[in-house]
Amino acid sequence: MIILVTGAGGPTGEAVCGYFRKNGDTVIGVDKDDVDLLDRAAVQDLADRIDREHGRVDGVVHLVGGWRGAGSFAETSLDDWDALHDLLIRTLQHVSLAFEPLLRRSDNGRFVIVSAKAAERPSAGGAVYAAAKAAAEAWTLSLADALSGTGSAATILVVKALVNDAMRAAKPEGKFPGFTDVHDLAAAIGGLYDRPAAEINGIRLDLTA
């Protein structure tokens, strides 16, 4: 399979890329140093290059993220909203618009974003983060509708937060209750290929349940 992982430079991206590479898949990992995902033309150039080289894409795992919060609702900074809008929404828009045609050509394609429980139960100080995640979910559900009837699916994976080995090493006494390990996330993404596209297209799969 041909798998694109955006936001591949961090521990989560490394876990996801490693999972698919171990399975023998062709993995194209990009981070901000490789492609500016806020540049629509640059993202389209990436899609065109993958199209020329492979003719399709079988997976797009969009891992670009970020978090901003405030001490209270009244202290919310709309500068934080601007930052999260770019990170969580605009990059998703550019990637999904560029790669939807390639996903349609796959017999078993998957588009995946990672959302958060905060989107369904926002805290007072988490307005900008929760709203951005909710917008990203809505956009992904629109993509799912576009992929309906094809061999591909768009799916939202929901976590409380992610944890990796470096976080555990930095806080050995930490329990990280309800957190999802990045390797478990990678396995959950891989597991989407074992289910029919129609079954998982447009669903929110809660990994905290």
Side-chain angles (χ1 to χ4, degrees):
M1 294 192 299
I2 312 301
I3 309 294
L4 172 69
V5 179
T6 55
T12 306
E14 291 171 0
V16 173
C17 289
Y19 175 92
F20 284 103
R21 286 192 177 113
K22 285 179 183 177
N23 285 332
D25 299 310
T26 297
V27 178
I28 303 161
V30 299
D31 206 0
K32 58 185 178 181
D33 293 333
D34 304 305
V35 179
D36 181 4
L37 298 182
L38 291 174
D39 183 336
R40 177 70 173 87
V43 178
Q44 190 61 54
D45 286 345
L46 174 65
D48 292 344
R49 177 170 62 84
I50 295 174
D51 188 6
R52 289 192 302 271
E53 294 177 2
H54 304 286
R56 71 184 196 284
V57 68
D58 303 302
V60 177
V61 184
H62 188 64
L63 298 176
V64 178
W67 184 86
R68 299 286 181 94
S72 68
F73 183 81
E75 293 173 297
T76 297
S77 168
L78 293 184
D79 289 340
D80 288 343
W81 167 258
D82 292 340
L84 289 185
H85 173 271
D86 282 350
L87 283 171
L88 303 184
I89 304 171
R90 187 65 76 195
T91 62
L92 169 64
Q93 291 172 329
H94 289 169
V95 170
S96 58
L97 289 169
F99 283 91
E100 187 259 3
L102 279 74
L103 283 165
R104 296 180 71 85
R105 295 181 208 158
S106 173
D107 293 332
N108 195 29
R110 301 290 183 266
F111 187 99
V112 182
I113 69 164
V114 179
S115 190
K117 296 290 284 184
E120 59 191 80
R121 186 166 297 201
S123 65
V128 291
Y129 178 73
K133 282 293 190 182
E137 288 195 17
W139 186 271
T140 302
L141 293 176
S142 291
L143 173 62
D145 189 49
L147 294 174
S148 180
T150 75
S152 294
T155 305
I156 299 161
L157 300 184
V158 181
V159 302
K160 175 183 178 182
L162 295 170
V163 63
N164 57 63
D165 291 342
M167 291 169 63
R168 291 192 179 94
K171 193 176 180 181
E173 74 283 1
K175 300 297 183 183
F176 304 101
F179 284 38
T180 299
D181 187 275
V182 292
H183 294 287
D184 292 334
L185 174 71
I189 295 169
L192 296 176
Y193 288 90
D194 298 329
R195 300 170 63 178
E199 181 181 299
I200 58 169
N201 191 36
I203 69 166
R204 299 175 77 255
L205 184 59
D206 191 341
L207 300 185
T208 71

